[in-house]
Amino acid sequence: MKGIDLINKLFDKLIALIGKISIILLIILVILVVGHCLLKFYGKSISKTIALEQTLRIMEPEKPDKIIAAVNKVVCWASVKYLDNKERVQIIVPTKRWFQLSSQLEVKKRIREMLSSEDFRLFLMDNLVSYRFVSKPDYYHNQFVLTGTRI
């Protein structure tokens, strides 16, 4: 009888330990999701940023293409940021992910093509009508930055 009681106590302790570990993992997951949202959207226009991401995403072809997959992963961090009480707006499109040391040349070339495309100009005309943009985006610190001023 003592052996069964000992096994029941150990089993109860094991269940309690598993419960505590799962709660800790859930808290860590929530912290990661909140941190991701803060990094991506803090100080930026959420609706314009989401529209920019959808505009810059390339449709995946039937056969897998590593460059298109890399471009889609990088472009998901593009953002629209208002400056000086909405007198200026910046469109920031990174060319590498945060853990990469440098940008890939082909990814950078594809993103530059997308920024000069007709779809991107339509995005600017639809979503940021009251701003005038320079003709070419500036490239520095592994990202393209397009700055517009209020008309």
Side-chain angles (χ1 to χ4, degrees), residues 73-84:
K73 287 177 184 175
V74 166
V75 163
C76 76
W77 285 92
S79 62
V80 177
K81 186 176 185 179
Y82 291 106
L83 305 169
D84 301 332

Side-chain angles (χ1 to χ4, degrees), residues 32-43:
L32 287 175
V33 168
V34 168
H36 177 270
C37 290
L38 283 176
L39 281 175
K40 188 168 183 171
F41 295 120
Y42 182 74

Side-chain angles (χ1 to χ4, degrees), residues 12 67 72 80 85 148:
D12 289 341
I67 299 299
N72 285 339
V80 177
N85 290 333

Side-chain angles (χ1 to χ4, degrees), residues 6 30 63 72 80 84 112:
L6 182 63
V30 167
K63 60 179 185 167
N72 285 339
V80 177
D84 301 332
R112 182 173 298 187

Side-chain angles (χ1 to χ4, degrees), residues 85-127:
N85 290 333
K86 295 192 176 185
E87 286 299 315
R88 293 184 309 135
V89 66
Q90 274 187 342
I91 296 176
I92 303 167
V93 182
T95 57
K96 71 177 191 76
R97 295 172 77 184
W98 65 272
F99 57 84
Q100 293 174 326
L101 296 178
S102 64
S103 322
Q104 295 177 349
L105 183 63
E106 192 64 34
V107 171
K108 196 180 338 180
K109 189 166 46 167
R110 289 274 179 108
I111 291 174
R112 182 173 298 187
E113 289 171 5
M114 289 189 309
L115 291 177
S116 62
S117 71
E118 187 64 32
D119 289 339
F120 183 69
R121 291 294 165 186
L122 287 173
F123 163 78
L124 292 178
M125 289 179 0
D126 289 344
N127 294 302

